[in-house]
Amino acid sequence: KDFLLSSDMAKELYHDFAEHMPILDYHCHINPQEIYEDRRFDNITQVWLGGDHYKWRQMRSNGIDEKYVT
């Protein structure tokens, strides 16, 4: 419930104001349909790498083994 909320002020700001607000991200690589449907990802890697071809390209150019990219 309070993951990453390390102070009373952070908890207050989140729970009293932000918790029920919609997600607004004007530049992300998550499919807007998944945001609309409030998709629950299994882990942070799915969110961070799932549909972001820029990160895939960066990983490849830095020598990451292909099995970790795709």
Side-chain angles (χ1 to χ4, degrees):
K1 178 181 173 183
D2 292 330
F3 180 66
L4 297 178
L5 302 176
S6 58
S7 69
D8 289 337
M9 180 58 73
K11 293 173 188 175
E12 179 182 344
L13 288 171
Y14 177 73
H15 293 298
D16 292 351
F17 298 98
E19 184 173 12
H20 300 291
M21 295 178 73
I23 297 170
L24 299 173
D25 185 347
Y26 295 102
H27 185 129
C28 75
H29 296 276
I30 298 174
N31 182 328
Q33 184 72 28
E34 293 175 337
I35 295 172
Y36 172 76
E37 293 172 350
D38 197 22
R39 176 181 171 192
R40 301 295 179 183
F41 294 89
D42 294 327
N43 56 59
I44 193 67
T45 303
Q46 287 181 340
V47 178
W48 190 63
L49 297 176
D52 192 343
H53 59 96
Y54 295 111
K55 289 189 181 108
W56 301 340
R57 184 175 62 206
Q58 185 69 26
M59 290 169 73
R60 289 182 180 111
S61 68
N62 281 283
I64 303 297
D65 192 301
E66 187 65 27
K67 71 180 180 181
Y68 297 114
V69 179
T70 57

